[in-house]
C-alpha cells in the first residue's frame, strides 16, 4: 500500500528534524513538538505523549550508536553522575507528568511556550558563549555538588515530561559545567539519564485518556520515527560541515519563533 500524503509529510518532517538534531547532538524532540501541534494539528497533551514515544525510540537508538565512540565501560566509570541526576529527574518527571494530565490545556500551552522559549535562549547562549571546555567542576564540595545535581535533575525531569523530550539540551551543559566532564562523554551520560527519566514520565501518562493517541496515530508515529532515525544518521554524517555556532544560532531563533507562534494562540 502506497503511503498517504500525511505519511509522506510525517517522514519528511521526521527526517529534517532528525538531521538537525544529529548535527547538534540532540534528538530533535524540541522541534518535533511545535510541528506536531502546529502542522499536524494534534492537541497539546496528545502531542506531548506522541513526542515522548518517539523520543524513547530515538534516544535508545542513539545510546546504541554512540557506544562505539564512548564505550559503556567509560560511562560506568562516571555512574555516580548519572545516579545523582537520575535521583532528581525521576521524581521531577513523575510529578510533572501527573500535573500535566490535570491542568487546563490553555495553561499547559502557556507553560510549554515558555519552556521552549527558554530552550531556544539556551541554544543561543551556547552559540555565543563557550562552555564546552571546562577545566574543573563547578563545586569542589561533594555534598554541595550532589545537592545541586539533585535539584537540577528534578527540574530537567519536569521539562522532559512536560515537553516529551529527552532533555539533552539541559543535561549536557549541566554535566559539563557541574561535574567538569568532556562534552562527548556528557552527551552519552545524558542519554543514560534521559532514557529512564522518559520511561517514568511515559508510564505516568498511561493513566491519561490522551494516551489513546498512540493507537489513533500509529502511522504518524511510525513514519516520523523512521524519518527521525534516518535524519539522525544523515546529521551524524554531515557533522562538522556546518559551523556549530551558526547552526545553534539559526535553530535557536527558529525554535523561539515556532514556540511563540504555535502555543501562544493554540487552545
Amino acid at each position: 500500500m502506497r503511503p498517504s500524503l500525511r505519511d509522506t509529510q510525517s517522514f519528511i518532517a521526521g527526517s529534517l528534524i532528525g538531521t538537525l538534531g544529529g548535527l547538534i547532538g540532540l534528538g530533535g524532540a524540541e522541534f518535533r513538538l511545535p510541528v506536531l501541534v502546529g502542522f499536524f494539528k494534534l492537541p497539546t497533551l496528545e502531542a506531548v505523549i506522541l513526542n515522548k514515544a518517539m523520543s524513547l525510540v530515538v534516544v535508545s537508538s542513539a545510546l546504541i550508536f554512540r557506544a562505539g565512540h564512548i564505550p559503556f565501560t567509560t560511562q560506568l566509570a562516571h555512574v555516580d553522575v548519572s545516579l545523582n541526576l537520575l535521583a532528581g529527574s525521576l521524581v521531577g518527571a513523575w510529578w510533572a507528568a501527573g500535573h500535566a494530565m490535570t491542568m487546563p490545556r490553555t495553561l499547559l500551552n502557556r507553560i510549554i511556550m515558555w519552556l521552549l522559549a527558554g530552550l531556544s535562549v539556551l541554544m543561543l547562549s551556547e552559540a555565543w558563549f563557550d562552555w564546552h571546555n571546562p577545566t574543573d567542576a563547578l563545586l569542589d564540595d561533594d555534598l554541595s555538588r550532589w545537592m545541586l545535581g539533585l535539584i537540577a535533575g528534578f527540574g530537567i525531569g519536569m521539562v522532559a515530561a512536560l515537553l516529551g523530550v529527552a532533555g539533552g539540551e539541559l543535561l549536557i551543559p549541566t554535566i559539563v559545567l557541574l561535574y567538569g566532564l568532556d562534552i562527548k562523554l556528557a552527551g552519552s551520560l545524558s542519554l543514560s539519564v534521559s532514557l529512564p527519566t522518559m520511561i517514568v514520565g511515559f508510564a505516568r501518562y498511561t493513566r491519561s485518556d490522551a494516551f489513546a493517541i498512540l493507537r489513533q496515530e500509529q502511522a504518524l508515529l511510525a513514519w516520523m520515527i523512521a524519518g527521525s532515525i534516518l535524519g539522525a544518521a544523515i546529521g551524524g554524517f554531515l557533522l562538522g560541515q556546518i559551523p556549530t555556532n551558526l547552526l545553534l544560532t539559526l535553530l535557536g531563533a527558529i525554535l523561539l519563533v515556532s514556540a511563540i507562534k504555535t502555543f501562544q494562540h493554540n487552545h
Side-chain angles (χ1 to χ4, degrees), residues 106-122:
T106 51
L107 177 58
L108 181 60
N109 286 333
R110 196 172 299 121
I111 291 173
I112 287 176
M113 181 184 73
W114 284 110
L115 288 176
L116 288 174
L119 288 178
S120 74
V121 171
L122 182 59

PDB file of all heavy atoms in Angstrom, residues 106-122:
ATOM      1  N   THR A 106      -5.063  25.431  28.231  1.00  0.00           N
ATOM      2  CA  THR A 106      -4.501  26.763  27.959  1.00  0.00           C
ATOM      3  C   THR A 106      -3.279  27.029  28.839  1.00  0.00           C
ATOM      4  O   THR A 106      -2.302  27.626  28.388  1.00  0.00           O
ATOM      5  CB  THR A 106      -5.552  27.860  28.203  1.00  0.00           C
ATOM      6  OG1 THR A 106      -6.137  27.680  29.505  1.00  0.00           O
ATOM      7  CG2 THR A 106      -6.646  27.809  27.155  1.00  0.00           C
ATOM      8  N   LEU A 107      -3.323  26.569  30.085  1.00  0.00           N
ATOM      9  CA  LEU A 107      -2.177  26.727  30.987  1.00  0.00           C
ATOM     10  C   LEU A 107      -1.016  25.862  30.516  1.00  0.00           C
ATOM     11  O   LEU A 107       0.145  26.302  30.532  1.00  0.00           O
ATOM     12  CB  LEU A 107      -2.570  26.348  32.416  1.00  0.00           C
ATOM     13  CG  LEU A 107      -1.448  26.385  33.467  1.00  0.00           C
ATOM     14  CD1 LEU A 107      -0.834  27.778  33.542  1.00  0.00           C
ATOM     15  CD2 LEU A 107      -1.977  25.952  34.834  1.00  0.00           C
ATOM     16  N   LEU A 108      -1.320  24.628  30.085  1.00  0.00           N
ATOM     17  CA  LEU A 108      -0.278  23.740  29.571  1.00  0.00           C
ATOM     18  C   LEU A 108       0.396  24.364  28.344  1.00  0.00           C
ATOM     19  O   LEU A 108       1.625  24.328  28.215  1.00  0.00           O
ATOM     20  CB  LEU A 108      -0.876  22.378  29.207  1.00  0.00           C
ATOM     21  CG  LEU A 108       0.100  21.320  28.670  1.00  0.00           C
ATOM     22  CD1 LEU A 108       1.184  21.000  29.691  1.00  0.00           C
ATOM     23  CD2 LEU A 108      -0.652  20.044  28.281  1.00  0.00           C
ATOM     24  N   ASN A 109      -0.402  24.960  27.454  1.00  0.00           N
ATOM     25  CA  ASN A 109       0.160  25.635  26.277  1.00  0.00           C
ATOM     26  C   ASN A 109       1.112  26.750  26.685  1.00  0.00           C
ATOM     27  O   ASN A 109       2.186  26.915  26.106  1.00  0.00           O
ATOM     28  CB  ASN A 109      -0.967  26.229  25.419  1.00  0.00           C
ATOM     29  CG  ASN A 109      -1.720  25.167  24.650  1.00  0.00           C
ATOM     30  OD1 ASN A 109      -1.169  24.117  24.345  1.00  0.00           O
ATOM     31  ND2 ASN A 109      -2.977  25.425  24.356  1.00  0.00           N
ATOM     32  N   ARG A 110       0.682  27.533  27.672  1.00  0.00           N
ATOM     33  CA  ARG A 110       1.493  28.672  28.110  1.00  0.00           C
ATOM     34  C   ARG A 110       2.818  28.191  28.713  1.00  0.00           C
ATOM     35  O   ARG A 110       3.885  28.751  28.421  1.00  0.00           O
ATOM     36  CB  ARG A 110       0.706  29.495  29.123  1.00  0.00           C
ATOM     37  CG  ARG A 110       1.277  30.896  29.356  1.00  0.00           C
ATOM     38  CD  ARG A 110       0.352  31.740  30.222  1.00  0.00           C
ATOM     39  NE  ARG A 110      -0.944  31.917  29.593  1.00  0.00           N
ATOM     40  CZ  ARG A 110      -2.098  31.530  30.143  1.00  0.00           C
ATOM     41  NH1 ARG A 110      -2.107  30.924  31.319  1.00  0.00           N
ATOM     42  NH2 ARG A 110      -3.231  31.741  29.520  1.00  0.00           N
ATOM     43  N   ILE A 111       2.747  27.149  29.533  1.00  0.00           N
ATOM     44  CA  ILE A 111       3.960  26.618  30.161  1.00  0.00           C
ATOM     45  C   ILE A 111       4.910  26.075  29.094  1.00  0.00           C
ATOM     46  O   ILE A 111       6.121  26.320  29.126  1.00  0.00           O
ATOM     47  CB  ILE A 111       3.599  25.516  31.180  1.00  0.00           C
ATOM     48  CG1 ILE A 111       2.889  26.135  32.387  1.00  0.00           C
ATOM     49  CG2 ILE A 111       4.849  24.763  31.625  1.00  0.00           C
ATOM     50  CD1 ILE A 111       2.337  25.111  33.363  1.00  0.00           C
ATOM     51  N   ILE A 112       4.357  25.316  28.131  1.00  0.00           N
ATOM     52  CA  ILE A 112       5.185  24.743  27.067  1.00  0.00           C
ATOM     53  C   ILE A 112       5.830  25.837  26.226  1.00  0.00           C
ATOM     54  O   ILE A 112       7.000  25.732  25.848  1.00  0.00           O
ATOM     55  CB  ILE A 112       4.347  23.794  26.190  1.00  0.00           C
ATOM     56  CG1 ILE A 112       4.066  22.490  26.967  1.00  0.00           C
ATOM     57  CG2 ILE A 112       5.058  23.471  24.879  1.00  0.00           C
ATOM     58  CD1 ILE A 112       3.171  21.518  26.240  1.00  0.00           C
ATOM     59  N   MET A 113       5.073  26.895  25.945  1.00  0.00           N
ATOM     60  CA  MET A 113       5.630  28.000  25.161  1.00  0.00           C
ATOM     61  C   MET A 113       6.848  28.603  25.870  1.00  0.00           C
ATOM     62  O   MET A 113       7.893  28.826  25.251  1.00  0.00           O
ATOM     63  CB  MET A 113       4.577  29.082  24.939  1.00  0.00           C
ATOM     64  CG  MET A 113       5.077  30.261  24.099  1.00  0.00           C
ATOM     65  SD  MET A 113       3.865  31.599  23.944  1.00  0.00           S
ATOM     66  CE  MET A 113       3.931  32.306  25.609  1.00  0.00           C
ATOM     67  N   TRP A 114       6.734  28.837  27.160  1.00  0.00           N
ATOM     68  CA  TRP A 114       7.840  29.431  27.901  1.00  0.00           C
ATOM     69  C   TRP A 114       9.021  28.469  28.039  1.00  0.00           C
ATOM     70  O   TRP A 114      10.181  28.893  28.004  1.00  0.00           O
ATOM     71  CB  TRP A 114       7.362  29.897  29.275  1.00  0.00           C
ATOM     72  CG  TRP A 114       6.580  31.169  29.201  1.00  0.00           C
ATOM     73  CD1 TRP A 114       5.240  31.336  29.405  1.00  0.00           C
ATOM     74  CD2 TRP A 114       7.087  32.470  28.874  1.00  0.00           C
ATOM     75  NE1 TRP A 114       4.879  32.642  29.221  1.00  0.00           N
ATOM     76  CE2 TRP A 114       5.995  33.371  28.893  1.00  0.00           C
ATOM     77  CE3 TRP A 114       8.355  32.957  28.559  1.00  0.00           C
ATOM     78  CZ2 TRP A 114       6.137  34.723  28.614  1.00  0.00           C
ATOM     79  CZ3 TRP A 114       8.495  34.316  28.279  1.00  0.00           C
ATOM     80  CH2 TRP A 114       7.403  35.181  28.307  1.00  0.00           C
ATOM     81  N   LEU A 115       8.734  27.186  28.192  1.00  0.00           N
ATOM     82  CA  LEU A 115       9.830  26.209  28.287  1.00  0.00           C
ATOM     83  C   LEU A 115      10.596  26.117  26.962  1.00  0.00           C
ATOM     84  O   LEU A 115      11.836  26.086  26.952  1.00  0.00           O
ATOM     85  CB  LEU A 115       9.281  24.829  28.662  1.00  0.00           C
ATOM     86  CG  LEU A 115       8.798  24.650  30.107  1.00  0.00           C
ATOM     87  CD1 LEU A 115       8.185  23.273  30.305  1.00  0.00           C
ATOM     88  CD2 LEU A 115       9.946  24.863  31.097  1.00  0.00           C
ATOM     89  N   LEU A 116       9.868  26.070  25.839  1.00  0.00           N
ATOM     90  CA  LEU A 116      10.527  26.023  24.531  1.00  0.00           C
ATOM     91  C   LEU A 116      11.303  27.313  24.270  1.00  0.00           C
ATOM     92  O   LEU A 116      12.399  27.287  23.711  1.00  0.00           O
ATOM     93  CB  LEU A 116       9.503  25.790  23.422  1.00  0.00           C
ATOM     94  CG  LEU A 116       8.890  24.382  23.356  1.00  0.00           C
ATOM     95  CD1 LEU A 116       7.788  24.330  22.304  1.00  0.00           C
ATOM     96  CD2 LEU A 116       9.954  23.340  23.049  1.00  0.00           C
ATOM     97  N   ALA A 117      10.722  28.439  24.678  1.00  0.00           N
ATOM     98  CA  ALA A 117      11.426  29.717  24.518  1.00  0.00           C
ATOM     99  C   ALA A 117      12.720  29.716  25.341  1.00  0.00           C
ATOM    100  O   ALA A 117      13.763  30.194  24.889  1.00  0.00           O
ATOM    101  CB  ALA A 117      10.521  30.870  24.951  1.00  0.00           C
ATOM    102  N   GLY A 118      12.641  29.132  26.554  1.00  0.00           N
ATOM    103  CA  GLY A 118      13.842  29.040  27.388  1.00  0.00           C
ATOM    104  C   GLY A 118      14.911  28.164  26.756  1.00  0.00           C
ATOM    105  O   GLY A 118      16.101  28.488  26.802  1.00  0.00           O
ATOM    106  N   LEU A 119      14.498  27.051  26.129  1.00  0.00           N
ATOM    107  CA  LEU A 119      15.455  26.179  25.445  1.00  0.00           C
ATOM    108  C   LEU A 119      16.090  26.892  24.259  1.00  0.00           C
ATOM    109  O   LEU A 119      17.272  26.691  23.965  1.00  0.00           O
ATOM    110  CB  LEU A 119      14.764  24.891  24.977  1.00  0.00           C
ATOM    111  CG  LEU A 119      14.374  23.891  26.066  1.00  0.00           C
ATOM    112  CD1 LEU A 119      13.653  22.698  25.456  1.00  0.00           C
ATOM    113  CD2 LEU A 119      15.587  23.423  26.847  1.00  0.00           C
ATOM    114  N   SER A 120      15.305  27.708  23.572  1.00  0.00           N
ATOM    115  CA  SER A 120      15.862  28.450  22.428  1.00  0.00           C
ATOM    116  C   SER A 120      16.906  29.455  22.899  1.00  0.00           C
ATOM    117  O   SER A 120      17.947  29.623  22.254  1.00  0.00           O
ATOM    118  CB  SER A 120      14.749  29.159  21.655  1.00  0.00           C
ATOM    119  OG  SER A 120      14.272  30.286  22.361  1.00  0.00           O
ATOM    120  N   VAL A 121      16.643  30.101  24.024  1.00  0.00           N
ATOM    121  CA  VAL A 121      17.624  31.040  24.589  1.00  0.00           C
ATOM    122  C   VAL A 121      18.886  30.294  25.006  1.00  0.00           C
ATOM    123  O   VAL A 121      20.013  30.790  24.828  1.00  0.00           O
ATOM    124  CB  VAL A 121      17.012  31.794  25.790  1.00  0.00           C
ATOM    125  CG1 VAL A 121      18.074  32.609  26.525  1.00  0.00           C
ATOM    126  CG2 VAL A 121      15.886  32.711  25.320  1.00  0.00           C
ATOM    127  N   LEU A 122      18.717  29.086  25.547  1.00  0.00           N
ATOM    128  CA  LEU A 122      19.873  28.269  25.922  1.00  0.00           C
ATOM    129  C   LEU A 122      20.708  27.925  24.692  1.00  0.00           C
ATOM    130  O   LEU A 122      21.940  27.974  24.733  1.00  0.00           O
ATOM    131  CB  LEU A 122      19.403  26.991  26.620  1.00  0.00           C
ATOM    132  CG  LEU A 122      20.501  26.041  27.111  1.00  0.00           C
ATOM    133  CD1 LEU A 122      21.415  26.733  28.109  1.00  0.00           C
ATOM    134  CD2 LEU A 122      19.872  24.793  27.742  1.00  0.00           C
TER     135      LEU A 122
END
